[in-house]
Amino acid sequence: MKNPYIKPRAKAAVRLCLDGFENGFDATKDESALSYKAASEYENFRVESGALTDGWGVEESDCLGGADNAVSAWEYVAEVGGEKKTTPMYCDADGYVHAVKDGTDKKLTAVRFSAPPIAVNYRLYGGDVVLICSGKDKMAVYDGDGIRSIDPSPKITSMALHYERLFVTTANEPDCVRFSDDLDPTNWAEGLDSGGFVTLSDGYGKCNKVVAFLNYVYVFRDFGISRMIAYADQTEFSVSNLYVSSGRIYSGSVTVCGDRIIFLASDGLYVFDGLSTTKILRRLGGLTEYKETATGAYFDGKYYLAYSKKGGENDSLLVYDISQKTAELSGGCSISSFFGAETLKAVCKNRAASITPCGAVFGTPTDKKWKVPYNALSRSDKIKKLNEICLETATDLKVAVLFDGRKRTYALKGKSGVQKIKVGISGRKIGLLLWTDCVGARVAEITALVSM
């Protein structure tokens, strides 16, 4: 018989504060083992400010003259009247190169490519040119007026300028690195006084990308990184292997980021300092199963990686702030390549785009999502009661409370100040899902009052 004079002990109330979002997305643990400050699902929010704000997206750029059929793009830089002048260029879906001068699109029909080309600027015989190459075609040279094909020349898949030679990987010779004549990257004759090649047949796989970094040429291969000491005299060239990878390295992601190189491998992201390799962003796991189309760029202290989440063409974007060590993920960004020196641009859905935290893709708002892990809050023996949720939101926002396999959704209107949701839901497992498709998002000061 219960004693009427003894009151039942009240459940202890705990206030869970989601402040900072510093843990970000965690794909390495089962959702049942995650802290409530990590996200078990996340997309299209920025987290760097400590609030959830508009994520990275793309806005249309007119730098290619409004072209909607670009497959790759680059910039031609030339000195005109003592000043540097930049001319945007692109290759269209039919394989023709275009130069956009002062807003006027000039189609160059003398050369036609059968694969999207890459390009690098060079000063050849006292004049500024851009070298244009692909893995299926001969090299071409644009000098500001016209374009011409170089015959003979290899079918180049990557290239790096180093000590006035052009070092390249090629489609037809995956086990070697070719290099041009000294002071002339259009001369591919072989000889001690011209160009040549270095064969790397040691079990580390194909030579996929060359990078000029810290006075060396680094060769990124299927399963390792090799370093070439390559000065002007080719008789002094030498090669050493620095890193053996347990998984495949994806060459499109390899990017020089100041004093380091960042790349994507089959088991995740790595940073290479010229000697050693360290895994980074471990919480992201392998990031994605589909890495073949991944492509990277570096700009303003951030590493940008476009990749495919569902297979096929790239549909997602990772932005990693190197100094802050924060990683932000966005979807819907169909970026096939990056270009630009003074500002970062991209080819997105065959159009030129600027990458900005605009929360939209070509004007269409992205779906922004943050999921507080659905689990037992490390107390599976306890029934929890979610009493209330408090938060700030600048735009309309939906908040779904997940509890014991069920869901209840609340719709909030954007306004200043803290809003309170009276909940009163109980369950052994509890989680939250916040999402919005509005531009101008800012979600902050999230707290949940839970009794258990």
Side-chain angles (χ1 to χ4, degrees), residues 243 261 263 269-273 276-282:
Y243 170 69
I261 294 174
F263 63 89
L269 285 155
Y270 287 83
V271 60
F272 175 65
D273 63 6
S276 60
T277 305
T278 305
K279 192 171 185 179
I280 59 173
L281 300 178
R282 291 178 178 272

mmCIF file of all heavy atoms in Angstrom, residues 243 261 263 269-273 276-282:
data_model
loop_
_atom_site.group_PDB
_atom_site.id
_atom_site.type_symbol
_atom_site.label_atom_id
_atom_site.label_comp_id
_atom_site.label_asym_id
_atom_site.label_seq_id
_atom_site.Cartn_x
_atom_site.Cartn_y
_atom_site.Cartn_z
ATOM 1 N N TYR A 243 55.120 7.392 -50.372
ATOM 2 C CA TYR A 243 53.902 6.994 -49.683
ATOM 3 C C TYR A 243 53.242 5.849 -50.427
ATOM 4 O O TYR A 243 53.097 5.888 -51.646
ATOM 5 C CB TYR A 243 52.940 8.187 -49.594
ATOM 6 C CG TYR A 243 51.552 7.853 -49.105
ATOM 7 C CD1 TYR A 243 51.327 7.463 -47.786
ATOM 8 C CD2 TYR A 243 50.454 7.932 -49.962
ATOM 9 C CE1 TYR A 243 50.057 7.158 -47.330
ATOM 10 C CE2 TYR A 243 49.173 7.640 -49.513
ATOM 11 C CZ TYR A 243 48.980 7.246 -48.199
ATOM 12 O OH TYR A 243 47.724 6.946 -47.760
ATOM 13 N N ILE A 261 49.189 19.418 -49.828
ATOM 14 C CA ILE A 261 48.348 18.880 -50.892
ATOM 15 C C ILE A 261 47.246 18.060 -50.231
ATOM 16 O O ILE A 261 47.517 17.260 -49.331
ATOM 17 C CB ILE A 261 49.156 17.997 -51.862
ATOM 18 C CG1 ILE A 261 50.188 18.846 -52.625
ATOM 19 C CG2 ILE A 261 48.237 17.280 -52.852
ATOM 20 C CD1 ILE A 261 51.135 18.030 -53.493
ATOM 21 N N PHE A 263 43.989 15.385 -50.909
ATOM 22 C CA PHE A 263 43.433 14.488 -51.923
ATOM 23 C C PHE A 263 42.448 13.514 -51.290
ATOM 24 O O PHE A 263 42.451 13.276 -50.081
ATOM 25 C CB PHE A 263 44.536 13.731 -52.670
ATOM 26 C CG PHE A 263 45.358 12.803 -51.822
ATOM 27 C CD1 PHE A 263 44.979 11.476 -51.625
ATOM 28 C CD2 PHE A 263 46.528 13.241 -51.217
ATOM 29 C CE1 PHE A 263 45.742 10.615 -50.842
ATOM 30 C CE2 PHE A 263 47.302 12.391 -50.436
ATOM 31 C CZ PHE A 263 46.910 11.066 -50.259
ATOM 32 N N LEU A 269 39.725 11.375 -46.865
ATOM 33 C CA LEU A 269 40.543 12.522 -47.256
ATOM 34 C C LEU A 269 41.886 12.523 -46.538
ATOM 35 O O LEU A 269 41.970 12.173 -45.356
ATOM 36 C CB LEU A 269 39.807 13.821 -46.960
ATOM 37 C CG LEU A 269 38.660 14.152 -47.928
ATOM 38 C CD1 LEU A 269 37.643 15.053 -47.270
ATOM 39 C CD2 LEU A 269 39.198 14.798 -49.202
ATOM 40 N N TYR A 270 42.922 12.973 -47.255
ATOM 41 C CA TYR A 270 44.279 12.994 -46.715
ATOM 42 C C TYR A 270 44.942 14.324 -47.034
ATOM 43 O O TYR A 270 44.621 14.987 -48.023
ATOM 44 C CB TYR A 270 45.119 11.867 -47.325
ATOM 45 C CG TYR A 270 44.757 10.495 -46.814
ATOM 46 C CD1 TYR A 270 43.693 9.786 -47.368
ATOM 47 C CD2 TYR A 270 45.481 9.901 -45.773
ATOM 48 C CE1 TYR A 270 43.357 8.526 -46.905
ATOM 49 C CE2 TYR A 270 45.148 8.643 -45.310
ATOM 50 C CZ TYR A 270 44.093 7.959 -45.874
ATOM 51 O OH TYR A 270 43.760 6.712 -45.402
ATOM 52 N N VAL A 271 45.921 14.685 -46.176
ATOM 53 C CA VAL A 271 46.771 15.839 -46.436
ATOM 54 C C VAL A 271 48.214 15.348 -46.531
ATOM 55 O O VAL A 271 48.654 14.511 -45.743
ATOM 56 C CB VAL A 271 46.610 16.918 -45.344
ATOM 57 C CG1 VAL A 271 46.984 16.398 -43.971
ATOM 58 C CG2 VAL A 271 47.409 18.159 -45.689
ATOM 59 N N PHE A 272 48.935 15.868 -47.520
ATOM 60 C CA PHE A 272 50.317 15.465 -47.800
ATOM 61 C C PHE A 272 51.190 16.704 -47.735
ATOM 62 O O PHE A 272 50.887 17.720 -48.360
ATOM 63 C CB PHE A 272 50.383 14.819 -49.186
ATOM 64 C CG PHE A 272 51.764 14.466 -49.660
ATOM 65 C CD1 PHE A 272 52.521 13.503 -49.011
ATOM 66 C CD2 PHE A 272 52.309 15.095 -50.777
ATOM 67 C CE1 PHE A 272 53.794 13.176 -49.463
ATOM 68 C CE2 PHE A 272 53.563 14.775 -51.237
ATOM 69 C CZ PHE A 272 54.311 13.817 -50.571
ATOM 70 N N ASP A 273 52.290 16.652 -46.958
ATOM 71 C CA ASP A 273 53.135 17.837 -46.772
ATOM 72 C C ASP A 273 54.442 17.781 -47.554
ATOM 73 O O ASP A 273 55.324 18.613 -47.349
ATOM 74 C CB ASP A 273 53.433 18.043 -45.287
ATOM 75 C CG ASP A 273 54.237 16.900 -44.670
ATOM 76 O OD1 ASP A 273 54.663 15.983 -45.409
ATOM 77 O OD2 ASP A 273 54.438 16.916 -43.435
ATOM 78 N N SER A 276 55.169 13.267 -45.599
ATOM 79 C CA SER A 276 54.274 12.331 -44.931
ATOM 80 C C SER A 276 52.819 12.651 -45.244
ATOM 81 O O SER A 276 52.480 13.776 -45.647
ATOM 82 C CB SER A 276 54.513 12.354 -43.426
ATOM 83 O OG SER A 276 54.285 13.655 -42.902
ATOM 84 N N THR A 277 51.966 11.666 -45.009
ATOM 85 C CA THR A 277 50.544 11.777 -45.310
ATOM 86 C C THR A 277 49.730 11.518 -44.052
ATOM 87 O O THR A 277 50.010 10.587 -43.309
ATOM 88 C CB THR A 277 50.149 10.773 -46.402
ATOM 89 O OG1 THR A 277 50.982 10.978 -47.552
ATOM 90 C CG2 THR A 277 48.709 10.948 -46.812
ATOM 91 N N THR A 278 48.713 12.359 -43.802
ATOM 92 C CA THR A 278 47.876 12.240 -42.613
ATOM 93 C C THR A 278 46.411 12.271 -43.021
ATOM 94 O O THR A 278 46.002 13.101 -43.835
ATOM 95 C CB THR A 278 48.143 13.408 -41.636
ATOM 96 O OG1 THR A 278 49.539 13.460 -41.323
ATOM 97 C CG2 THR A 278 47.347 13.230 -40.355
ATOM 98 N N LYS A 279 45.630 11.387 -42.434
ATOM 99 C CA LYS A 279 44.198 11.377 -42.724
ATOM 100 C C LYS A 279 43.518 12.515 -41.983
ATOM 101 O O LYS A 279 43.815 12.797 -40.823
ATOM 102 C CB LYS A 279 43.582 10.039 -42.310
ATOM 103 C CG LYS A 279 42.165 9.836 -42.853
ATOM 104 C CD LYS A 279 41.675 8.418 -42.616
ATOM 105 C CE LYS A 279 40.323 8.212 -43.272
ATOM 106 N NZ LYS A 279 39.824 6.824 -43.074
ATOM 107 N N ILE A 280 42.578 13.180 -42.650
ATOM 108 C CA ILE A 280 41.837 14.296 -42.054
ATOM 109 C C ILE A 280 40.336 14.037 -42.175
ATOM 110 O O ILE A 280 39.895 13.156 -42.915
ATOM 111 C CB ILE A 280 42.194 15.642 -42.715
ATOM 112 C CG1 ILE A 280 41.886 15.605 -44.219
ATOM 113 C CG2 ILE A 280 43.649 15.995 -42.480
ATOM 114 C CD1 ILE A 280 42.052 16.939 -44.923
ATOM 115 N N LEU A 281 39.564 14.813 -41.426
ATOM 116 C CA LEU A 281 38.109 14.739 -41.473
ATOM 117 C C LEU A 281 37.609 13.301 -41.341
ATOM 118 O O LEU A 281 36.776 12.818 -42.120
ATOM 119 C CB LEU A 281 37.587 15.369 -42.768
ATOM 120 C CG LEU A 281 37.931 16.847 -42.986
ATOM 121 C CD1 LEU A 281 37.390 17.336 -44.321
ATOM 122 C CD2 LEU A 281 37.384 17.714 -41.860
ATOM 123 N N ARG A 282 38.128 12.619 -40.331
ATOM 124 C CA ARG A 282 37.788 11.216 -40.129
ATOM 125 C C ARG A 282 36.290 11.003 -39.916
ATOM 126 O O ARG A 282 35.756 9.935 -40.234
ATOM 127 C CB ARG A 282 38.569 10.656 -38.938
ATOM 128 C CG ARG A 282 40.072 10.532 -39.199
ATOM 129 C CD ARG A 282 40.812 10.017 -37.975
ATOM 130 N NE ARG A 282 42.227 9.851 -38.234
ATOM 131 C CZ ARG A 282 42.768 8.733 -38.729
ATOM 132 N NH1 ARG A 282 42.000 7.686 -38.990
ATOM 133 N NH2 ARG A 282 44.074 8.655 -38.933
#
